[in-house]
Amino acid sequence: MSNLLVELFVEELPPKALKKLGQAFSQTLFDSLKAQGLTAADASVTPYASPRRLAAHITHVAAKADDRSVAQKLMPASVGLDADGNATPALLKKLAALGADESAVSQLKREHDGKAEVLFLDRTVRGATLEEGLQKALDEAIAKLPIPKVMTYQLEDGWSNVNFVRPAHGLVALHGNEVVPIRALGLTAGNRTQGHRFEATQSPIVLRNADSYAEQLQQDGAVIPGFKERRDEIARQLEAAAGKLKLRPIEDEALLEEVTALVERPNVLVGQFEQAFLAVPQECLILTMKANQKYFPLLDAQGRLTNKFLIVSNISPADPSAVIGGNERVVRPRLADAKFFFEQDRKKTLESRIPGLSKVVYHNKLGSQGERIARVSAIANLVGTALGDQALAAQASQAAQLAKADLVTDMVGEFPELQGIMGRYYAQHEGLSDDIAYAIEDHYRPRFSGDALPRNKVGMIVALADKLETLAGLFSIGEKPTGEKDPFALRRHAIGILRILTEGGLSLPLNTLLEQTLSVFQHEFDHDTALQAVEEFIFDRLSGSLRDQGYSVQEVDAVLALKPQLLGDITKRLEAVRAFASLPEAASLAAANKRVGNILKKSDSAIEAAINLALLQEDAEKTLAQALAQVQPQAQHAFAAGDYTGSLKALAALKAPVDAFFDHVMVNAEDPALKANRLALLATLHQAMNQVADLSRLAA
């Protein structure tokens, strides 16, 4: 047993894919060697990935796998043996392929595999050598790499072509200090690799053994080969450099990972730009520096952008001034462009840009963004009116009209990520109220799980209207999510609607909102089908969301079975159901409720929940009617007051009379009037028990 090192030395790999490539390469190598019996039980793998290399260090790898005994399945006995028990030509041919002859026939075993009697041959399979196993593992690792885009390049012989993510120039395979002579991508494995393109002290680096790889690369090659180690070093240097200036670098995990994949030995430097650029909204400057230059902007203690930024360089010259100056010269035109876009955009009002949205296609079946904005504005006005505030409705309608106007500005054209944000800045520049300005920015919220809701009520209404229009419009033309495919992010829009209605304080019935939303569309579609489909889709999202919050399947099903339209009440209903389920009477009442429901479903005629007291004969049914007369008003009063827990707890008093009723009363009496009255009694009971939730869903 010795440790194994495999490295593929290549030209610069795609930075956004590097981490995944490194993990996949090392794990596939390890899994394949393990499957072939070439690793010990306690073997482990360490991945390495830098811009110019993918490598794996695997501990406790054998030079040869152990031989193993296997029971080789051959063929059904009826095929392999004739009537006299002699081997058929088919069996002899199969044995010959396995290196056995006719003498092995007497050693064959017969076993049933569940269908027929089958012949098995016990034989010893030779364990793979490391050379054989590693060749197979490497071929598999290369084939399974999650390569974003393959390129074709020519080998040195001038004739052969190879397909790989980037041209490969070196292959290392060391078992201890011995080279394993494997081949890949036109290369033969050796013990030599290359260090940093500019700062290596040795070239090539001759590796002493598999275990010296990381140490030699760092000392002689000026390379930190481990992705995590390099990332941690960058994070440490960023914090140290910012700390000296009493500032802090912007937090961006994706940028940190990308920069880690761009450098082999990081060196963090401080650059700066002219203070005048800070007149531009900081979101524009931050995005410019991060997206285009991969810099880390520096913020002050209040979170405001400063004119300093951090550069993660791949070289460490004694005098870094040339590197810093070069980066400052490169970023200046970028910032100047942002400043120019900002100044030009402010020369036109948002309202004057609205006609331009008619030239932006939204969907070929739903028209332009201009038409869409008219619909969103109408929905926002309807929502505000439904809340009983005409001033709020007018503000929401205006904010909705302006919400997409920044899509035709120069700044958003250059940086689509700034949509909404720039609309807010331009609205504030025009002197519009903060309610409208922040609504323009916030109407995209919540954009992802855990995102904040809009900051004000105008924003809540516009965000709700925008998401309702998207969902209803696309459902009306048959654009529904299927399986994992959701190109229009309709699941995210549904979750946004749910969060606004449950957390945003907008107490509006969902069915009314959907009716009003669908009413603003002018194209032909089946209104009822679209309404039902959208409502079911939203409730399906709600069901999943509630389960994710820790509510049981039974609790969620019980509440959502009633399709409560005021979604803000659903959490209270769930808590009430949970409290009810903890009562001693709950199980019995839930079972009785299920039984009542089944009885009522089997009735041939419509049942009215109107009890004729004169037709009550049995003591048990009289007692139940009396109990209902006492409990129902209490439960109804608590329900009307929003005290759902109190409403359900009031039902506990019905346990004994309900149990007695089913023990002593025949519902399907021969007298039709008596039967109808008893069904009416059960209908009244069913009605009283299922206002908050369908309690039958709690029955075991």
Side-chain angles (χ1 to χ4, degrees):
M1 288 281 178
S2 294
N3 295 340
L4 176 71
L5 185 281
V6 180
E7 182 205 62
L8 199 55
F9 182 74
V10 298
E11 292 182 14
E12 279 75 3
L13 292 160
K16 290 184 179 178
L18 179 63
K19 184 178 181 181
K20 190 183 294 185
L21 288 172
Q23 291 171 339
F25 180 76
S26 59
Q27 194 60 48
T28 306
L29 274 176
F30 180 72
D31 290 344
S32 181
L33 292 174
K34 184 177 181 180
Q36 296 177 73
L38 284 163
T39 60
D42 59 347
S44 61
V45 61
T46 302
Y48 294 105
S50 81
R52 297 201 297 158
R53 71 199 75 236
L54 298 174
H57 179 269
I58 303 172
T59 62
H60 305 147
V61 178
K64 181 180 179 299
D66 293 336
D67 296 343
R68 54 196 174 90
S69 297
V70 296
Q72 179 76 44
K73 184 177 180 180
L74 301 176
M75 60 187 65
S78 59
V79 175
L81 301 173
D82 60 21
D84 298 324
N86 298 318
T88 62
L91 178 58
L92 293 174
K93 185 177 180 180
K94 180 70 173 177
L95 289 171
L98 296 173
D101 55 24
E102 192 172 358
S103 63
V105 174
S106 62
Q107 301 168 20
L108 299 182
K109 293 181 179 179
R110 301 187 185 197
E111 293 182 12
H112 279 276
D113 67 352
K115 296 180 181 178
E117 192 174 46
V118 178
L119 297 174
F120 286 86
L121 172 65
D122 286 337
R123 68 193 196 96
T124 300
V125 177
R126 182 182 66 85
T129 65
L130 179 56
E131 182 179 347
E132 296 166 343
L134 184 56
Q135 184 66 64
K136 179 182 177 182
L138 182 59
D139 292 342
E140 188 178 340
I142 290 173
K144 289 185 175 180
L145 278 179
I147 298 173
K149 193 173 182 180
V150 174
M151 66 180 294
T152 301
Y153 61 94
Q154 199 173 62
L155 298 179
E156 291 182 0
D157 61 14
W159 295 97
S160 307
N161 288 334
V162 171
N163 295 322
F164 194 53
V165 59
R166 292 290 185 270
H169 296 294
L171 177 62
V172 172
L174 284 175
H175 185 230
N177 56 7
E178 296 292 327
V179 173
V180 184
I182 56 174
R183 291 182 57 82
L185 305 175
L187 303 166
T188 301
N191 63 348
R192 297 185 174 205
T193 187
Q194 299 290 334
H196 194 284
R197 193 181 287 276
F198 307 112
E199 301 197 344
T201 57
Q202 290 184 21
S203 183
I205 298 170
V206 180
L207 298 173
R208 295 189 297 273
N209 53 58
D211 296 338
S212 68
Y213 176 72
E215 177 192 349
Q216 283 188 261
L217 269 182
Q218 202 153 350
Q219 289 183 355
D220 304 330
V223 170
I224 302 175
F227 191 93
K228 181 181 183 302
E229 291 76 11
R230 206 164 56 254
R231 182 185 182 281
D232 292 345
E233 175 61 17
I234 293 172
R236 186 193 66 77
Q237 289 191 36
L238 289 172
E239 290 295 333
K244 289 179 181 178
L245 300 170
K246 292 184 171 50
L247 301 173
R248 61 181 177 87
I250 197 161
E251 293 181 9
D252 190 320
E253 290 297 315
L255 178 61
L256 181 56
E257 300 252 315
E258 187 175 359
V259 169
T260 302
L262 286 169
V263 300
E264 291 199 302
R265 186 171 76 170
N267 178 34
V268 172
L269 305 169
V270 180
Q272 62 182 5
F273 55 84
E274 290 81 354
Q275 290 272 0
F277 287 123
L278 293 177
V280 179
Q282 70 176 42
E283 293 89 344
C284 307
L285 303 181
I286 289 171
L287 187 58
T288 298
M289 287 188 279
K290 290 195 322 183
N292 295 322
Q293 303 305 132
K294 315 304 175 190
Y295 298 153
F296 288 82
L298 287 172
L299 309 177
D300 64 18
Q302 286 72 44
R304 295 187 300 258
L305 180 67
T306 68
N307 69 325
K308 293 181 172 59
F309 58 92
L310 298 178
I311 307 153
V312 182
S313 174
N314 194 36
I315 55 176
S316 304
D319 180 7
S321 59
V323 176
I324 295 170
N327 280 277
E328 290 175 345
R329 282 194 301 275
V330 168
V331 78
R332 196 169 292 116
R334 296 283 189 180
L335 301 181
D337 286 347
K339 187 170 184 288
F340 175 77
F341 292 148
F342 183 58
E343 291 172 349
Q344 292 299 307
D345 285 343
R346 291 193 299 175
K347 292 178 180 179
K348 292 178 67 176
T349 64
L350 290 175
E351 188 173 359
S352 70
R353 295 181 183 276
I354 293 175
L357 291 171
S358 63
K359 300 174 184 177
V360 180
V361 176
Y362 170 56
H363 192 286
N364 62 348
K365 294 182 181 179
L366 294 172
S368 67
Q369 280 285 6
E371 292 171 292
R372 178 168 183 253
I373 280 305
R375 293 193 294 266
V376 175
S377 179
I379 296 166
N381 187 60
L382 289 169
V383 173
T385 302
L387 290 170
D389 190 332
Q390 287 301 323
L392 179 63
Q395 280 187 306
S397 179
Q398 182 185 3
Q401 285 180 326
L402 301 176
K404 306 291 184 185
D406 65 352
L407 294 179
V408 289
T409 62
D410 291 338
M411 186 70 84
V412 175
E414 181 72 14
F415 300 111
E417 302 94 329
L418 296 176
Q419 58 186 325
I421 295 172
M422 295 316 302
R424 188 252 298 176
Y425 277 109
Y426 297 145
Q428 289 174 326
H429 173 71
E430 293 173 26
L432 296 175
S433 70
D434 280 349
D435 281 346
I436 290 176
Y438 282 112
I440 292 172
E441 177 178 356
D442 292 350
H443 84 279
Y444 292 102
R445 295 182 179 180
R447 296 156 296 178
F448 50 84
S449 177
D451 192 20
L453 294 180
R455 283 166 277 194
N456 58 50
K457 208 161 192 177
V458 178
M460 291 280 190
I461 293 172
V462 179
L464 180 62
D466 183 67
K467 290 167 177 57
L468 285 169
E469 192 279 339
T470 300
L471 203 60
L474 290 167
F475 264 73
S476 73
I477 59 172
E479 293 282 6
K480 304 175 185 177
T482 55
E484 293 183 0
K485 294 182 179 179
D486 187 9
F488 299 104
L490 297 184
R491 293 186 179 98
R492 190 185 71 205
H493 279 82
I495 292 294
I497 291 168
L498 291 170
R499 286 196 57 201
I500 290 170
L501 290 176
T502 56
E503 302 172 31
L506 300 185
S507 185
L508 296 168
L510 179 64
N511 53 0
T512 303
L513 286 171
L514 295 178
E515 288 275 6
Q516 291 178 335
T517 299
L518 289 167
S519 71
V520 306
F521 289 93
Q522 303 300 316
H523 64 283
E524 290 187 11
F525 64 97
D526 188 325
H527 180 280
D528 292 340
T529 300
L531 177 63
Q532 182 181 353
V534 175
E535 186 179 66
E536 286 180 358
F537 182 73
I538 290 175
F539 272 105
D540 185 52
R541 295 296 100 202
L542 177 58
S543 176
S545 174
L546 292 171
R547 290 197 299 271
D548 290 343
Q549 293 173 41
Y551 294 104
S552 71
V553 173
Q554 291 82 3
E555 290 167 347
V556 173
D557 286 350
V559 171
L560 297 192
L562 302 185
K563 291 283 176 71
Q565 296 299 318
L566 288 175
L567 303 188
D569 284 352
I570 284 179
T571 301
K572 285 201 301 181
R573 288 176 184 251
L574 284 164
E575 293 300 328
V577 167
R578 182 169 285 181
F580 172 78
S582 67
L583 297 175
E585 301 87 353
S588 177
L589 285 171
N593 189 44
K594 187 174 183 178
R595 185 175 178 182
V596 169
N598 290 334
I599 292 170
L600 295 176
K601 283 178 189 175
K602 293 176 183 177
S603 176
D604 297 330
S605 57
I607 303 167
E608 289 188 23
I611 306 167
N612 185 343
L613 298 177
L615 291 176
L616 298 175
Q617 294 184 355
E618 303 288 344
D619 289 342
E621 61 183 327
K622 292 178 182 178
T623 302
L624 178 57
Q626 291 170 358
L628 267 175
Q630 292 178 346
V631 169
Q632 193 171 19
Q634 297 173 15
Q636 181 60 42
H637 178 75
F639 179 82
D643 181 9
Y644 300 135
T645 301
S647 180
L648 287 181
K649 284 186 175 180
L651 301 177
L654 294 174
K655 179 187 180 302
V658 168
D659 289 346
F661 177 87
F662 283 117
D663 287 342
H664 301 106
V665 178
M666 174 67 71
V667 177
N668 294 321
E670 292 183 8
D671 183 343
L674 200 58
K675 176 182 176 181
N677 196 52
R678 287 172 179 172
L679 287 173
L681 177 60
L682 291 182
T684 305
L685 173 66
H686 196 259
Q687 192 179 78
M689 294 180 72
N690 292 299
Q691 291 188 98
V692 176
D694 180 355
L695 298 183
S696 68
R697 303 297 178 105
L698 301 178

